[in-house]
Amino acid sequence: MNDYFPKNFDKNETVKISAVAKDGLDVSSVFAVKAKTGEVVEINDGTLKLDSADVKIYANTTRKIWKITFWVDDYIELFDKRNSDNKIKAESVRGISTDKTFIDTKANLDGVSLTSYKIVSKKEFAYVPDTSRRGEKIALALNNCDDNFLISSIYSTFRCNDDQILSPEFLFLLISHSEFDRYSRYNSWGSARETFDWDEMCRVKIPLPSIETQRELVTLYKGLKNLAEQNEAMLKPLSDACQAFI
């Protein structure tokens, strides 16, 4: 995928694709995408009528929107929300596992002040920047429940700045994958300990289909995951029965 048109267009400008295309480019392979939403803009007879200036034009004979990637920093934001009023108590304290879930903490919290702990609410993410000694994985999680969690102040918390453009659940599918473990470890830096800091997180590129497609993919993934878990649960008694006959 190549962005052949780095120039900035003016709003309401009519662009003749052949006039701005690189030499030898097949104009029929060109399509345009709104940079913020990922929406494909139609090109009629080689002419593009812009209703905004945030359009990028690409060339690819397959025209697959999946091939287009966007810097994730346009769609996520770091935040720091503390339990300063001490309203959230110790039973809500969580750790973060490399299995991409929040887990009950093993720390002894007797006498520990929780006012400096960070709050993670529904549809918000948390991750551990330190990727050293974690089995080549990154510890991160998305809060999918209605309860607020407390996490250590050394962890990073972030969220999607507009969930009508980027679904938190869809983003979680992308960054909970084993390939992201590999990526985050490769891009962790340090001597005594290696960290995947916020700047590196912002350099991640993601595909950005329409919000409807994102939701469909999340629903499909959840359905397949539930089916796999049900099948696994069914296999255990069958395995036990087979062992009994042996």
Side-chain angles (χ1 to χ4, degrees):
M1 174 61 61
N2 293 302
D3 179 1
Y4 282 89
F5 307 90
K7 65 164 287 188
N8 293 322
F9 297 109
D10 295 327
K11 186 176 180 179
N12 297 323
E13 180 180 358
T14 298
V15 179
K16 193 71 175 176
I17 300 302
S18 58
V20 294
K22 285 189 174 181
D23 292 341
L25 175 66
D26 179 6
V27 176
S28 66
S29 72
V30 170
F31 63 104
V33 178
K34 290 188 177 180
K36 286 292 184 183
T37 64
E39 177 186 352
V40 176
V41 182
E42 186 176 357
I43 297 176
N44 294 312
D45 298 324
T47 301
L48 173 66
K49 178 68 176 179
L50 301 178
D51 60 0
S52 64
D54 66 340
V55 171
K56 289 187 177 182
I57 306 174
Y58 296 86
N60 187 295
T61 54
T62 61
R63 300 194 181 195
K64 288 184 178 179
I65 193 68
W66 253 147
K67 297 287 185 181
I68 304 172
T69 56
F70 299 83
W71 297 110
V72 74
D73 66 330
D74 285 336
Y75 309 100
I76 61 174
E77 58 186 7
L78 193 67
F79 71 95
D80 189 339
K81 186 169 48 179
R82 304 288 178 127
N83 188 36
S84 54
D85 55 9
N86 204 34
K87 285 186 177 179
I88 306 177
K89 302 304 180 182
E91 59 269 17
S92 296
V93 175
R94 296 290 186 273
I96 307 172
S97 80
T98 55
D99 290 331
K100 312 300 182 280
T101 59
F102 288 103
I103 56 176
D104 292 337
T105 183
K106 297 178 182 178
N108 184 355
L109 298 174
D110 290 344
V112 175
S113 172
L114 302 179
T115 56
S116 66
Y117 276 55
K118 292 182 177 180
I119 301 173
V120 187
S121 301
K122 187 174 183 178
K123 293 187 178 181
E124 294 177 345
F125 296 83
Y127 81 99
V128 184
D130 183 358
T131 59
S132 305
R133 300 179 298 278
R134 297 185 187 277
E136 298 301 307
K137 294 182 179 181
I138 186 170
L140 64 85
L142 169 67
N143 185 358
N144 262 327
C145 68
D146 294 325
D147 297 328
N148 291 327
F149 293 148
L150 291 181
I151 61 170
S152 168
S153 60
I154 66 173
Y155 300 160
S156 297
T157 50
F158 67 96
R159 60 196 168 204
C160 296
N161 51 33
D162 188 342
D163 63 8
Q164 296 305 304
I165 295 178
L166 176 61
S167 160
E169 292 86 356
F170 177 72
L171 176 59
F172 183 66
L173 289 186
L174 299 177
I175 63 177
S176 61
H177 194 273
S178 59
E179 179 61 20
F180 188 74
D181 283 326
R182 185 203 64 79
Y183 176 89
S184 59
R185 281 295 295 138
Y186 183 81
N187 290 281
S188 295
W189 310 99
S191 52
R193 63 189 184 96
E194 296 176 328
T195 61
F196 184 72
D197 63 19
W198 181 245
D199 288 339
E200 291 298 335
M201 179 69 82
C202 289
R203 292 190 183 101
V204 173
K205 285 188 172 183
I206 61 168
L208 193 65
S210 69
I211 192 64
E212 291 79 13
T213 299
Q214 292 177 46
R215 290 167 179 163
E216 288 173 5
L217 289 169
V218 169
T219 300
L220 176 61
Y221 172 80
K222 288 180 177 178
L224 292 173
K225 183 179 179 182
N226 289 337
L227 182 61
E229 290 173 350
Q230 291 171 11
N231 287 339
E232 186 173 346
M234 292 171 61
L235 283 173
K236 188 179 186 310
L238 288 174
S239 176
D240 293 344
C242 289
Q243 290 297 324
F245 281 109
I246 297 175

